[in-house]
Structure formats: C-alpha cells, structure tokens
C-alpha cells in the first residue's frame, strides 16, 4: 500500500484514513454495526474481528484490514481490535507487553459483539495478535465464557508469533474440537525467524512443522510454496492474491465441517491453490 510521505495525502495515488467517526458510547457503536448488517442478506450477516500484529500503527492496521476485506470479498462487517504497538522493529518486547495488557479488553469487545444482530463471528489474528488472541481465549475458557453465545464460526491465526510449547498449553485449555480452527504457517517466514532468535531459539508456531501443528487439533495450512506476496513472507494473508482468495473462500463458507468429509470440503475451499494442509 502506497502511504503518503507528507500531508495531506493525495487520494489519487496514496492510501489514507479519512473522516474517522468516534462513537461516544457502546450503544452508538452497536447501532452503527447493526445498520451495516442490515445491508447484508440474511445468512451472511457476520462480523470479522481482526487483530493486527507487531510493528503496526493504527492507520496501518485499518488500511490493511480494509485492503483485505476488499480483495478477499468478505461479505460481512469487519471490526478491528487495535492494541498499542510501538510500531517499531526494535520495540519487540514493548509490543509483547502491550499485547498482554490488551488481552484484558477482549471480554469487552466480545460483549459488544454479542449485543449486535450478527448471525456469527469470525476471528482473524496476525502475528503477535495471534498470541494476544490465544491468551484472551484461554482466559475466557477458564471462566466459562469461551464461545458462550455459540456464534463463533471460524478462528484463523496467520503467521502466529507464539512459542510452540506455549501454544500447546493454550490449546489444552480451550475447545480444540472446534472444527474451523485454522493456522496459516510458512517455513520461509523471515520475521518469525528473527522472533525465534529473540526468544532464544524457541520455534514459533507460524514457522513450525505442519504435521506437528495438526496433531494439536488445528487445521494447519502451509503457505511455503506461495512466493508472490507483495507484503513479504510474514504477511502472505494480505500480500498474495492466492492466499487472500483462500481466506475469503473459507470465511464466506461458514458451514460446519463434517469430520468424515473434511478433506473434500477443504479441497473445495482451497480450490487448487498450491498449499499443503494437515489435520487430525
């Protein structure tokens, strides 16, 4: 995305956030979401909750989500969960602490979404945002609040920056029988290779072995063969047209998986895209 090098931005050539609305109350925000949901045919009135990753400004995250929704053809209403990233490559530990602080706000946005007229929810988290999301879901499971409304349809973790041992522990505390839990990984993820070095050599989930991940109860999709990402190896979810199509197909097909026919159903979603897939 071409960002402005100076202000004001040129809308003919540059991406920028314009005319933001600040909602004074939760009720005002919910009314706005419901207004957008009414524009969508019944059966497709879903919310996509997107959680951005490390080294992102708020405007970066807003524009990335807008680009993804446009390119993927997602048919519902997108909501961004923004957290206080320092937006600096050298502030990794700061971002990690900010993500831990932000997980306390997850129950609030969950309660707000539950008050909307959405028929279902999808959660899509990238990089360190996946760490934040897993910690929040673990906390919800411990208090009996995980998917309490029964409207959670899909969880997608893209390039999750999570210690693999920690991820195993997190999954043990939530419902790993959930049949639409996807992890997108890539062995050539350069950002996660750096993260691994910072973490003392501990493998990251988003760059780990596909079969080992599948054994934990998730649907693991290896994007290593995808080499056309304009946003680098760590953001293939938005930078590769093939991956954007893959995710869009999965989000727009919100039917539950019949475990006896899962391979066939996944093949239909993937549609010939050159990826590897593994599940229990």
């Amino acid at each position: 995305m071409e960002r402005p090098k100076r202000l004001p931005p040129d809308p003919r050539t540059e991406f920028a956030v314009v005319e933001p609305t600040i909602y004074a109350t939760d009720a005002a925000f919910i009314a706005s979401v419901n207004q957008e949901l009414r524009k969508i045919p019944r059966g497709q009135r879903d919310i996509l909750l997107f959680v951005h990753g490390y080294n992102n400004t708020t405007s970066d995250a807003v524009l990335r989500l807008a680009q993804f929704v446009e390119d993927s053809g997602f048919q519902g209403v997108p909501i961004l969960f923004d957290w206080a990233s320092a937006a600096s490559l050298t502030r990794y530990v700061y971002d990690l602490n900010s993500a831990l602080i932000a997980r306390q706000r997850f129950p609030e946005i969950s309660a707000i979404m539950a008050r909307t007229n959405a028929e279902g929810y999808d959660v899509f988290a990238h990089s360190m945002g996946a760490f934040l999301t897993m910690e929040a879901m673990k906390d919800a499971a411990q208090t009996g609040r995980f998917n309490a409304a029964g409207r959670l349809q899909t969880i997608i973790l893209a390039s999750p920056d999570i210690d693999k041992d920690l991820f195993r522990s997190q999954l043990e505390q939530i419902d790993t029988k959930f049949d639409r839990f996807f992890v997108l990984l890539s062995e050539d993820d350069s950002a996660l290779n750096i993260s691994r070095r910072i973490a003392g050599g501990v493998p990251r989930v988003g760059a780990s072995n596909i079969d080992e991940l599948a054994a934990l109860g998730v649907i693991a999709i290896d994007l290593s063969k995808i080499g056309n990402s304009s946003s680098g190896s760590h953001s293939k979810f938005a930078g590769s047209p093939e991956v954007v199509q893959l995710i869009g197909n999965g989000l727009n097909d919100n039917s539950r998986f019949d475990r006896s026919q899962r391979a066939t159903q996944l093949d239909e979603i993937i549609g010939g895209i050159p990826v590897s897939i593994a599940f229990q």
Side-chain angles (χ1 to χ4, degrees):
M1 296 183 295
E2 292 295 330
R3 300 298 306 276
K5 296 179 174 59
R6 61 179 64 88
L7 298 178
D10 184 344
R12 298 169 300 179
T13 58
E14 298 167 333
F15 288 90
V17 177
V18 296
E19 299 182 2
T21 298
I22 298 176
Y23 298 97
T25 64
D26 291 350
F29 177 73
I30 290 166
S32 180
V33 171
N34 285 339
Q35 182 179 6
E36 293 302 314
L37 288 169
R38 285 194 294 271
K39 300 175 184 178
I40 302 169
R42 292 186 182 279
Q44 300 174 2
R45 295 178 177 177
D46 299 334
I47 286 175
L48 173 64
L49 180 66
F50 178 72
V51 187
H52 68 76
Y54 149 72
N55 188 28
N56 271 240
T57 65
T58 296
S59 60
D60 286 340
V62 169
L63 292 172
R64 179 65 75 195
L65 176 57
Q67 178 206 31
F68 171 78
V69 170
E70 176 70 18
D71 292 349
S72 69
F74 175 68
Q75 297 163 357
V77 176
I79 293 177
L80 169 67
F81 184 92
D82 184 33
W83 54 278
S85 166
S88 170
L89 284 172
T90 61
R91 304 289 296 280
Y92 183 88
V93 175
Y94 178 97
D95 275 18
L96 185 62
N97 289 328
S98 289
L100 286 169
I101 294 170
R103 70 179 179 178
Q104 301 173 19
R105 298 296 184 182
F106 235 84
E108 295 179 24
I109 189 62
S110 298
I112 287 171
M113 291 195 301
R115 291 167 58 193
T116 71
N117 296 328
E119 297 167 336
Y121 317 125
D122 303 304
V123 177
F124 183 18
H126 177 231
S127 186
M128 193 177 286
F131 165 72
L132 189 166
T133 300
M134 287 297 297
E135 284 293 289
M137 290 194 297
K138 180 199 70 176
D139 291 347
Q142 290 176 340
T143 56
R145 293 179 289 108
F146 178 67
N147 197 22
R151 286 190 271 178
L152 180 60
Q153 296 176 154
T154 307
I155 299 170
I156 299 176
L157 306 183
S159 307
D161 188 358
I162 309 174
D163 178 304
K164 195 160 64 174
D165 292 332
L166 173 61
F167 187 59
R168 182 181 292 106
S169 174
Q170 291 166 332
L171 287 174
E172 289 173 353
Q173 299 176 69
I174 66 173
D175 180 12
T176 54
K177 298 182 180 64
F178 187 75
D179 64 359
R180 293 180 62 87
F181 195 134
F182 299 89
V183 176
L184 309 182
L185 63 108
S186 184
E187 294 180 0
D188 65 344
D189 192 318
S190 57
L192 291 185
N193 287 333
I194 294 173
S195 174
R196 177 175 179 166
R197 289 200 294 271
I198 293 173
V202 179
R204 316 316 284 171
V205 171
S208 56
N209 180 272
I210 183 173
D211 294 317
E212 291 178 2
L213 280 185
L216 299 179
V218 301
I219 300 172
I221 301 178
D222 189 350
L223 308 178
S224 298
K225 295 180 181 178
I226 301 291
N228 61 345
S229 174
S230 61
S231 55
S233 58
H234 189 53
S235 298
K236 291 182 180 181
F237 78 93
S240 166
E242 294 170 317
V243 178
V244 172
Q245 174 192 339
L246 165 67
I247 299 172
N249 289 345
L251 290 173
N252 290 327
D253 177 11
N254 57 21
S255 59
R256 310 302 291 178
F257 283 142
D258 181 334
R259 288 181 174 266
S260 65
Q261 300 178 344
R262 178 178 278 186
T264 300
Q265 290 169 290
L266 289 171
D267 283 342
E268 291 175 355
I269 290 176
I270 290 171
I273 297 173
V275 301
S276 300
I277 185 166
F279 53 88
Q280 279 188 327

